[in-house]
Amino acid sequence: MTDLNTIARNYITAWNESDATRRKALLEAAFTSDVSYRDPVMQGDGHDGIAALIEGVQQRFAGFRFSLKSQPDGFADRIRFSWNLGPEDAESVIEGTDIGVIENGRLKSVTGFLDKVPAQ
């Protein structure tokens, strides 16, 4: 049985990890090797592609952290969870919802939606 909480936590932990070596191990635990990620502003494929996305977000939003907004839910091979991004102990600046396809307990694909973004 797939543990949706573990999958969502592994995902958030990988996005928060700033050390490239530790992040690599987290990516391997959270994502299949052929993972694809798509959202309205970026896309990446494979562990290297996801790592590059994470590095870009961490540079652009230095000091911000991801957190789960609510319990994940899903059915069959699908997972849905919402997240926050912002400074620790402060209101989130960005919020989103991700829909994933699970294969053998890891994410094979992620489609992200941005629910809250700062005014331009």
Side-chain angles (χ1 to χ4, degrees):
M1 182 168 169
T2 301
D3 182 353
L4 300 177
N5 289 314
T6 298
I7 291 170
R9 276 193 313 270
N10 287 348
Y11 176 90
I12 295 296
T13 301
W15 279 87
N16 283 331
E17 182 55 60
S18 59
D19 179 87
T21 302
R22 288 193 301 257
R23 186 183 321 113
K24 182 176 187 213
L26 292 168
L27 291 172
E28 290 171 0
F31 301 100
T32 62
S33 61
D34 61 344
V35 63
S36 68
Y37 177 94
R38 305 287 183 269
D39 74 23
V41 295
M42 60 186 184
Q43 63 184 26
D45 295 303
H47 293 165
D48 290 342
I50 303 295
L53 297 178
I54 292 170
E55 288 173 20
V57 168
Q58 289 180 357
Q59 288 174 4
R60 183 167 181 200
F61 300 101
F64 284 22
R65 304 283 293 171
F66 283 92
S67 62
L68 285 174
K69 187 173 180 179
S70 59
Q71 290 286 95
D73 67 345
F75 64 93
D77 65 346
R78 309 292 172 172
I79 184 173
R80 174 179 66 177
F81 55 92
S82 296
W83 47 264
N84 302 303
L85 176 63
E88 281 193 81
D89 302 321
E91 185 177 335
S92 60
V93 176
I94 301 170
E95 297 175 3
T97 299
D98 289 353
I99 310 294
V101 175
I102 302 165
E103 182 178 273
N104 297 321
R106 297 184 296 162
L107 290 164
K108 181 172 180 62
S109 71
V110 178
T111 303
F113 296 86
L114 299 175
D115 303 326
K116 174 185 168 184
V117 294
Q120 297 292 341

